[in-house]
Amino acid sequence: MAACGAAAAEYSALLSLPCGPITRRRFAVSCRARPPGNLSAQQKKKRGKNIAPKQLSSNAKLLLTTEENGQLPSTSLRTSMQPPQKSTSSEDDTNGAISQRDEKIAAIGNEQQERSKDKHFESDFQLEDFGEMIQNMEKNILLLNQARLQAIEDVDKILTEKEALQKKVDILETKLSKALATKGNINTDIPGDHLEKFTKEILIESALSGGNPAHLCESPLFMELTVLKEENMLLKADTQFLKAKIVEFAETEEFLFKLEKERSLLDATVRELEARFLVAQTDIWKVVPLQYDVWMEKVQNLQHMLGCLKNHVEKYAALLDRHDDLHDKIDELEASLKEGKTSEFSPYVVELLQQKLKAAKSRHQAGHQETNTHIQVYQQLTEEFQDNLGRLIEESGRLEHSANSMPSEFWSHILLMIDGWFLERKIPNTDARMLREMAWKRDDRICEAYFACKGAKESDVMETFLKLTKQVGGLADVVTGLGKALQTKGHLVEIVLPKYDCMQLDQITNLKVLDVVIQSYFDGNLFSNNVWTGTVEGLPVYFIEPQHPSKFFWRAQYYGEHDDFKCYSYFSRAALELLYQSGKKIDIIHCHDWQTAFVAPLYWDIYATRGFSSARICFTCHNFEYQGTAPAPDLSYCGLDVEQLDRPDRMQDNAHGRINVAKGGIVYSNIVTTVSPTYALEVRSEGGRGLQDTLKMHSRKFVGILNGIDTGTWNPSTDRFLAVQYSATDLQGKAANKAFLRKQLGLYSEDASQPLVACITRLVPQKGLHLIRHAIYKTAELEGQFVLLGSSPVPHIQREFEGVADQFQKNNNIRLILKYDEALSHCIYAASDMFIIPSMFEPCGLTQMIAMRYGSVPIVRQTGGLCDSVFDFDDETIPVELRNGFTFARTDEQDLSSCLERAFSYYSRKPMVWKQLVQKDMQIDFSWDSPASQYENLYQSAVAQARGAAQT
């Protein structure tokens, strides 16, 4: 809740209603503070990387398993090499080997699937786990070594195949020589010359003897000589072809020699890395006495080793690419043999050469695939090792700047800096007290915030520090605001909260632990809970501290954990157990948002059957964007019957087939509310995010009540952030604040009557970003001034508005302050003449109420709570006394432009009308008094119905 130092969360409050002059009724309220929209959930759970068996070759597999204790994956590499097949092996033997290999791959796949089932990886690195992390890094490097040895064996295999192929080529050359000898020992050059000479001599002799050369050419001897001549020419061509291929094989042999040399270098490098790693391994067990600088030296050595290994792997991959040239040469040789016109003289030689080339090609492809597989394993293990090393370096960085290691001079500097901000009126007193408390306790978050923005501007440092003090959302204001208003009306209100470890305890008065332990059920066991009590802004609060091994609510943050569903189901059961064992007769238990919606079904299904049945349940959903869904079995943790509740008419989600806790709160509560009447209408249609049918079914008990604001905090007559305090009856102070802000932001200040338009918001899509941008440009067009204060949790949106800010950097009428600044927000409310809120949807909205409180006329889009708090000045269907601003309906720029033009027209042309409008807005009562009265009526009606039912 608000006063718990931003720790407002689930609570239950006991309210006492006066039944007469003496008796009092009690209401128990259980609620939770919803996180602001700009805080994104952090998922810390990550799963380990598993390499599927199908990624590995037939004779290697890599097993990556993730242990439940959160350690890094342990990896094993199993390699089994089959003996090389002889080149003369038959096709049947080859098929059998392939079949055997496929069976082995299938077996490996099954083993891998069994080993990797139901394992997960958690990324939380604690300082005490450094030794274990380094051990796992050792395993990864050993795996790299094993894969390297496998690659060396593959290269040896390729070299062996090359030598065998060379021997076969030599044999072919020998057989070719023998074949030529058997044909008459004919030389491809000399026999050709003799044949040509012999043919000419026969022709000359025939001519001298008076014979006919034509008849001679037809003689059998001459024809035989011609055939022999053609055969000799073909043989010559075949021989030249074989010689060319032999030269290519010689070049390949040279390349393989280079490859072997590179392999030897890689082997030597890895051996050197192994030796260095053994030294690092010895140092690991000396980690306890090591100082931080020694730690970092070891980390840097490991990082250097990783870089060297990665370079060699890349070099080996480059060699593998060059080795593809051998594959191309084999293909070229095979194509030449198929396309070449060989003579009938050498078919045996060609066939034998083709067989050898085919065998070499298949083995080369197998080796290529095997080597590629190992390269992939290298890369995956390298990436995993690098990730682990990065986490180690990050964890070491946190160790360097841990709070306990910082000297006292550092904390003195922090305290002086905080005091300086307060004395210069840059931060409020409440924030200064919180920051001082954190500094006195040497909170790690102070260290992290300081070093995260080291070297930044003072304003950025202050903004970072102030984020540590902010409330967890608008619900904190609702809890304290509604509770104090009901208390003022005479009711007893008691609040129940989890005892977060990050609460601002200095905001709690008389905090103490009770000498009692509450046992509550969870996941089949009973767990103890310590109970603390204290007072916050005059309201009594119970804090439940679970003694559960999962350390619920001891996570240094309020929400966003992976097990939030378990945390809040545990708290809801423990809170009900506390109320049950207290023996109090409670009238109302008021639950807020899905985190305490568990209370409704728990109360009626479990505790009402035990005689604890006097109370009625009120459930308030502040934003139906958040509903709390989870797999159905998770509901059983707190003791609820999943089979009975996982039904469409109870807690089964309407769209996703899961359990919906918000739906359970709607179904099982006696009263269901939301934060404005118009939003209650919107969520019964598409705005219900899947719960519209459920809300329609339970519409009789569903109502919207507009929230209020803390009129003590937001009061221009007492606000110490303002240069001059003022009120509705004295507006001169507002003009002074306008002049002060213009000077502070460097705006043009010569024309005091120039209208100033303001917007204070989170820059998220819900807020109508395109309309905010258009309002800036339209205001400049209308010769007004515009100030935007806010930032975005979405990086690309933040960059987009930074671009707009750069565009108007030299414009002295436009200023965009893209950060959070509490003090500046008060000044902007007081200085602005108009306040724009063009939201796409807005369940309630508080800025329009604050703006009117400070005399800034709202310009809003008609949606949600904006419809219920701002009424158009020109709408004649609305009573004049209610008209307090300017509204538009559509989400396009034209509608917004028209609305702005109307407001500017009234401001410049009818100054007296405008002044009356400002005074009327400042006098509107936006306190919690009216909402509290509406809740009081709902409570009394529910209690009366319960008593009437009990009497019948």
Side-chain angles (χ1 to χ4, degrees):
M1 55 184 290
C4 292
E10 298 70 16
Y11 75 96
S12 71
L14 299 177
L15 308 176
S16 232
L17 290 176
C19 301
I22 299 177
T23 62
R24 307 176 78 193
R25 301 176 189 165
R26 297 209 285 210
F27 296 89
V29 181
S30 174
C31 74
R32 172 204 73 85
R34 172 175 55 81
N38 61 342
L39 293 180
S40 60
Q42 301 177 355
Q43 294 298 330
K44 296 185 178 176
K45 178 177 179 182
K46 299 181 179 176
R47 303 192 76 72
K49 299 179 181 177
N50 291 333
I51 301 177
K54 66 181 180 180
Q55 293 177 319
L56 302 179
S57 61
S58 62
N59 60 350
K61 80 174 173 180
L62 183 67
L63 277 179
L64 296 178
T65 61
T66 304
E67 301 299 338
E68 292 297 336
N69 59 7
Q71 296 180 352
L72 294 173
S74 62
T75 314
S76 65
L77 178 68
R78 300 183 181 179
T79 307
S80 61
M81 297 296 297
Q82 295 181 355
Q85 300 294 328
K86 295 182 178 181
S87 60
T88 57
S89 61
S90 64
E91 183 176 356
D92 293 338
D93 293 337
T94 302
N95 292 336
I98 292 174
S99 175
Q100 255 185 355
R101 185 179 63 185
D102 293 340
E103 293 176 358
K104 186 174 181 180
I105 290 175
I108 292 174
N110 294 335
E111 181 182 355
Q112 174 66 15
Q113 292 175 0
E114 292 176 0
R115 287 172 178 259
S116 63
K117 185 176 182 181
D118 293 330
K119 304 282 185 166
H120 70 281
F121 176 81
E122 298 182 1
S123 64
D124 290 335
F125 285 82
Q126 303 297 332
L127 297 180
E128 61 267 18
D129 293 332
F130 279 177
E132 297 177 359
M133 292 166 61
I134 299 297
Q135 287 179 346
N136 284 299
M137 294 176 192
E138 172 190 358
K139 295 179 183 178
N140 287 337
I141 290 182
L142 291 177
L143 285 174
L144 291 175
N145 184 31
Q146 292 176 1
R148 186 266 309 166
L149 293 176
Q150 179 62 42
I152 292 173
E153 292 177 2
D154 293 341
V155 173
D156 291 336
K157 182 178 178 182
I158 293 174
L159 293 174
T160 302
E161 294 296 333
K162 183 268 301 180
E163 294 174 356
L165 184 60
Q166 182 63 46
K167 290 179 180 179
K168 297 301 179 181
V169 172
D170 295 341
I171 293 172
L172 287 176
E173 290 179 338
T174 303
K175 289 184 177 181
L176 177 62
S177 300
K178 291 180 179 180
L180 293 175
T182 58
K183 287 291 184 178
N185 197 21
I186 302 174
N187 187 289
T188 57
D189 293 326
I190 298 176
D193 296 339
H194 284 300
L195 285 173
E196 186 68 25
K197 183 177 180 181
F198 183 63
T199 302
K200 290 180 179 180
E201 289 176 353
I202 291 176
L203 291 174
I204 293 171
E205 184 180 353
S206 175
L208 293 175
S209 63
N212 187 352
H215 292 164
L216 180 62
C217 292
E218 295 177 357
S219 65
L221 178 59
F222 189 85
M223 293 179 64
E224 185 177 354
L225 288 173
T226 302
V227 171
L228 187 59
K229 179 180 178 181
E230 293 175 353
E231 186 75 20
N232 184 75
M233 295 297 292
L234 292 173
L235 181 60
K236 180 179 180 181
D238 291 343
T239 303
Q240 292 176 347
F241 172 76
L242 289 175
K243 287 181 179 179
K245 296 306 174 185
I246 290 172
V247 172
E248 290 184 4
F249 275 112
E251 294 175 353
T252 303
E253 181 180 9
E254 182 180 358
F255 167 73
L256 290 176
F257 175 76
K258 293 180 180 179
L259 182 63
E260 182 179 6
K261 185 177 180 180
E262 292 292 339
R263 178 203 45 94
S264 300
L265 292 175
L266 178 62
D267 185 29
T269 302
V270 174
R271 290 182 184 277
E272 180 184 357
L273 292 174
E274 287 177 352
R276 294 172 63 184
F277 179 75
L278 290 176
V279 176
Q281 183 184 24
T282 304
D283 292 339
I284 288 174
W285 304 109
K286 302 176 183 179
V287 66
V288 175
L290 291 180
Q291 299 298 321
Y292 173 75
D293 54 347
V294 182
W295 254 108
M296 284 307 302
E297 181 180 358
K298 301 304 176 185
V299 170
Q300 291 172 358
N301 289 338
L302 286 175
Q303 196 170 22
H304 178 68
M305 292 170 59
L306 175 64
C308 293
L309 184 58
K310 185 176 180 181
N311 291 335
H312 284 286
V313 169
E314 292 175 352
K315 185 180 295 185
Y316 184 73
L319 286 174
L320 183 61
D321 293 336
R322 292 175 55 193
H323 187 58
D324 289 340
D325 295 340
L326 178 61
H327 178 74
D328 297 335
K329 291 179 179 180
I330 293 176
D331 291 341
E332 181 182 351
L333 181 58
E334 184 179 21
S336 300
L337 290 175
K338 289 182 178 180
E339 298 176 359
K341 296 180 179 179
T342 58
S343 65
E344 296 178 358
F345 171 74
S346 55
Y348 169 75
V349 176
V350 173
E351 182 180 359
L352 183 61
L353 186 58
Q354 286 177 336
Q355 291 178 357
K356 300 308 176 184
L357 289 175
K358 183 177 180 180
K361 180 179 178 180
S362 62
R363 292 175 183 175
H364 171 72
Q365 289 176 344
H368 184 273
Q369 182 179 4
E370 186 90 9
T371 308
N372 273 332
T373 300
H374 287 299
I375 290 294
Q376 292 176 0
V377 173
Y378 269 115
Q379 292 174 344
Q380 290 171 348
L381 289 176
T382 300
E383 291 175 359
E384 181 178 332
F385 180 78
Q386 202 163 19
D387 290 342
N388 295 337
L389 185 61
R391 295 189 183 98
L392 178 60
I393 293 174
E394 181 181 355
E395 196 71 23
S396 299
R398 286 197 292 268
L399 176 63
E400 179 186 17
H401 300 311
S402 64
N404 294 330
S405 65
M406 301 308 297
S408 57
E409 291 81 1
F410 170 80
W411 296 107
S412 298
H413 170 68
I414 293 295
L415 289 170
L416 289 173
M417 183 172 62
I418 295 171
D419 289 341
W421 291 340
F422 172 69
L423 293 174
E424 294 172 355
R425 301 179 65 180
K426 293 180 179 179
I427 62 175
N429 185 37
T430 54
D431 291 340
R433 286 203 313 269
M434 293 180 188
L435 291 174
R436 288 192 199 99
E437 180 72 18
M438 296 173 71
W440 289 333
K441 295 180 179 179
R442 301 201 169 190
D443 196 315
D444 282 332
R445 289 173 293 171
I446 290 286
C447 286
E448 293 174 1
Y450 180 80
F451 287 105
C453 54
K454 190 175 182 180
K457 296 185 298 184
E458 183 187 30
S459 58
D460 295 332
V461 177
M462 184 170 58
E463 176 186 357
T464 303
F465 271 60
L466 287 174
K467 288 180 179 179
L468 302 177
T469 69
K470 294 303 109 183
Q471 299 177 358
V472 184
L475 179 54
D477 294 327
V478 173
V479 173
T480 54
L482 177 60
K484 289 191 294 184
L486 290 170
Q487 191 179 57
T488 301
K489 293 179 177 294
H491 305 296
L492 175 61
V493 181
E494 295 178 340
I495 301 171
V496 180
L497 291 170
K499 190 177 185 297
Y500 294 100
D501 61 337
C502 51
M503 290 192 309
Q504 299 298 323
L505 301 181
D506 63 318
Q507 300 298 304
I508 307 172
T509 305
N510 299 325
L511 179 65
K512 64 178 181 178
V513 61
L514 300 182
D515 188 18
V516 63
V517 174
I518 299 296
Q519 298 279 335
S520 63
Y521 173 89
F522 190 77
D523 196 16
N525 297 293
L526 290 177
F527 293 94
S528 299
N529 301 277
N530 294 332
V531 181
W532 297 67
T533 60
T535 303
V536 178
E537 296 191 24
L539 294 170
V541 183
Y542 291 89
F543 300 95
I544 294 179
E545 182 182 22
Q547 303 300 303
H548 190 275
S550 296
K551 296 187 179 299
F552 295 145
F553 312 115
W554 284 83
R555 314 287 180 80
Q557 64 179 15
Y558 299 105
Y559 311 110
E561 295 289 339
H562 68 281
D563 57 353
D564 275 357
F565 191 93
K566 291 183 180 180
C567 287
Y568 293 108
S569 63
Y570 181 99
F571 169 76
S572 297
R573 180 69 186 255
L576 274 176
E577 191 67 32
L578 171 64
L579 298 178
Y580 172 64
Q581 293 189 26
S582 70
K584 298 177 180 178
K585 187 177 181 181
I586 299 169
D587 295 311
I588 294 292
I589 301 176
H590 194 155
C591 312
H592 291 260
D593 279 346
W594 73 265
Q595 282 84 350
T596 52
F598 298 95
V599 168
L602 281 170
Y603 179 79
W604 293 114
D605 286 1
I606 296 177
Y607 287 91
T609 61
R610 301 178 182 178
F612 180 34
S613 58
S614 63
R616 290 298 176 263
I617 308 297
C618 177
F619 171 63
T620 297
C621 185
H622 294 254
N623 192 334
F624 282 91
E625 292 283 327
Y626 310 100
Q627 299 180 8
T629 63
D634 289 2
L635 196 61
S636 63
Y637 286 121
C638 61
L640 289 171
D641 190 338
V642 177
E643 184 177 353
Q644 293 295 321
L645 296 176
D646 188 17
R647 292 166 39 178
D649 61 334
R650 296 189 181 178
M651 295 186 69
Q652 187 182 91
D653 189 68
N654 295 339
H656 304 99
R658 293 154 62 90
I659 285 293
N660 187 317
V661 186
K663 180 178 179 180
I666 296 170
V667 172
Y668 279 86
S669 296
N670 304 97
I671 306 168
V672 181
T673 71
T674 191
V675 293
S676 71
T678 300
Y679 187 59
L681 295 175
E682 292 173 349
V683 296
R684 293 176 190 173
S685 56
E686 68 278 359
R689 298 298 188 267
L691 289 179
Q692 50 267 25
D693 292 337
T694 303
L695 291 169
K696 290 176 183 177
M697 185 179 301
H698 296 274
S699 60
R700 290 187 176 181
K701 62 181 180 183
F702 181 48
V703 64
I705 299 176
L706 189 68
N707 285 339
I709 61 173
D710 187 344
T711 53
T713 300
W714 299 105
N715 187 350
S717 62
T718 59
D719 194 336
R720 66 178 188 82
F721 285 110
L722 305 186
V724 179
Q725 285 78 32
Y726 63 98
S727 65
T729 58
D730 181 14
L731 293 178
Q732 292 182 355
K734 184 170 179 62
N737 281 288
K738 184 176 181 179
F740 177 81
L741 181 68
R742 282 175 164 178
K743 182 177 180 180
Q744 182 179 359
L745 299 181
L747 293 169
Y748 179 76
S749 58
E750 294 298 327
D751 185 5
S753 63
Q754 189 176 13
L756 176 61
V757 183
C759 180
I760 301 176
T761 184
R762 290 180 298 113
L763 296 175
V764 293
Q766 172 196 343
K767 301 301 181 180
L769 299 179
H770 68 292
L771 296 178
I772 294 175
R773 286 194 303 270
H774 179 72
I776 296 173
Y777 290 100
K778 185 63 178 179
T779 300
E781 177 187 334
L782 294 174
E783 299 182 353
Q785 294 182 323
F786 195 100
V787 175
L788 170 66
L789 176 65
S791 61
S792 177
V794 185
H796 76 87
I797 296 177
Q798 182 75 9
R799 289 194 298 269
E800 179 182 353
F801 276 87
E802 287 173 354
V804 177
D806 292 339
Q807 181 180 351
F808 287 101
Q809 187 173 8
K810 296 182 180 180
N811 189 316
N812 56 6
N813 285 321
I814 307 294
R815 289 292 179 269
L816 277 68
I817 302 96
L818 302 178
K819 63 178 183 179
Y820 174 81
D821 191 322
E822 175 72 17
L824 183 58
S825 69
H826 286 250
C827 295
I828 293 174
Y829 280 120
S832 60
D833 299 298
M834 306 169 197
F835 198 90
I836 186 167
I837 311 172
S839 301
M840 296 296 97
F841 74 93
E842 194 68 63
C844 177
L846 299 178
T847 56
Q848 77 276 14
M849 303 181 195
I850 299 172
M852 285 187 277
R853 178 79 167 158
Y854 282 73
S856 184
V857 177
I859 300 173
V860 306
R861 198 180 83 80
Q862 295 174 347
T863 181
L866 300 176
C867 278
D868 301 316
S869 54
V870 181
F871 306 97
D872 194 89
F873 192 73
D874 293 328
D875 190 349
E876 296 180 355
T877 63
I878 297 175
V880 175
E881 62 272 14
L882 296 180
R883 303 178 199 173
N884 56 3
F886 297 88
T887 67
F888 61 100
R890 300 194 303 270
T891 59
D892 56 72
E893 290 87 349
Q894 291 78 10
D895 221 15
L896 172 59
S897 294
S898 176
C899 193
L900 274 170
E901 289 170 357
R902 289 193 293 120
F904 269 66
S905 176
Y906 275 105
Y907 179 86
S908 60
R909 297 179 182 179
K910 300 179 180 180
M912 292 305 299
V913 174
W914 186 267
K915 180 180 179 181
Q916 292 172 2
L917 175 60
V918 169
Q919 291 176 326
K920 179 169 63 175
D921 285 354
M922 294 183 67
Q923 293 172 348
I924 298 176
D925 181 11
F926 287 114
S927 70
W928 272 101
D929 184 65
S930 177
S933 297
Q934 296 179 61
Y935 275 108
E936 183 181 38
N937 293 334
L938 291 175
Y939 296 159
Q940 292 174 339
S941 176
V943 171
Q945 291 178 7
R947 290 178 178 174
Q951 293 176 358
T952 59

